[in-house]
């Protein structure tokens, strides 16, 4: 398989049955997760091909696993709201981003959308109007 960009979502090695599994049935709540749950979700979303390498690394930085060796083995403590973390990163990129700003913003927005689609508590607030 040829990879052209870390922002590209890769084809998943997971089986068709695994890919069709409804992640909401696993009870993930991305607004209230421990670092261990964040890491587990990151790995599963990566294996299912739902997030790119860049998004996977971003999630690893948010949960602290990527910094485990540098951070004295300490992870983010307590429960964390992944949406709030993504919103903070988006705000930072929009105001202070220097390198690949537009790609980073698009990647973060896409990551948030994937989390929403796989969150047991997320409901779309779109309204349908019929005439």
């Amino acid at each position: 398989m040829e990879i052209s960009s870390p922002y590209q979502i890769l084809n998943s090695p997971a089986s068709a049955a695994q890919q069709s599994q409804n992640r909401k049935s696993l009870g993930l709540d991305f607004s209230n997760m421990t670092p261990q749950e964040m890491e587990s979700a990151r790995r599963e979303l990566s294996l299912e091909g739902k997030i790119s390498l860049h998004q996977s690394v971003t999630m690893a930085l948010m949960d602290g696993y990527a910094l485990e060796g540098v951070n004295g083995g300490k992870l983010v403590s307590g429960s964390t709201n992944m949406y709030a973390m993504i919103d903070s990163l988006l705000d930072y990129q929009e105001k202070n981003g220097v390198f690949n700003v537009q790609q980073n913003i698009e990647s973060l927005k896409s990551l948030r959308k994937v989390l929403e689609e796989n969150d047991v508590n997320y409901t779309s607030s779109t309204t349908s109007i019929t005439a």
Side-chain angles (χ1 to χ4, degrees):
M1 179 184 314
E2 191 174 314
I3 301 173
S4 61
S5 167
Y7 300 92
Q8 175 185 5
I9 295 177
L10 308 175
N11 291 333
S12 169
S15 70
Q18 289 172 321
Q19 289 177 352
S20 65
Q21 178 183 13
N22 183 354
R23 300 259 306 132
K24 289 188 179 195
S25 66
L26 298 177
L28 295 174
D29 176 5
F30 290 99
S31 66
N32 185 24
M33 298 186 92
T34 66
Q36 293 79 9
E37 291 169 330
M38 292 166 66
E39 178 63 8
S40 177
R42 181 192 69 80
R43 288 180 182 183
E44 289 182 42
L45 291 170
S46 294
L47 286 173
E48 292 176 4
K50 293 183 177 182
I51 60 174
S52 68
L53 174 62
H54 183 261
Q55 292 165 327
S56 178
V57 170
T58 300
M59 285 184 73
L61 289 169
M62 288 191 288
D63 66 27
Y65 272 86
L67 301 175
E68 190 172 10
V70 188
N71 200 20
K74 296 179 183 175
L75 303 175
V76 174
S77 61
S79 295
T80 303
N81 184 330
M82 300 266 312
Y83 299 120
M85 293 177 94
I86 291 172
D87 291 343
S88 294
L89 289 170
L90 276 167
D91 185 55
Y92 179 83
Q93 282 294 322
E94 289 169 350
K95 293 178 181 174
N96 304 308
V98 177
F99 185 71
N100 291 334
V101 175
Q102 192 58 40
Q103 285 180 317
N104 289 334
I105 289 171
E106 289 172 14
S107 179
L108 287 166
K109 287 180 179 179
S110 175
L111 176 59
R112 182 180 173 94
K113 182 179 177 187
V114 168
L115 298 185
E116 289 170 350
E117 290 170 351
N118 292 280
D119 191 320
V120 69
N121 293 324
Y122 182 81
T123 55
S124 179
S125 60
T126 58
T127 305
S128 176
I129 300 174
T130 55

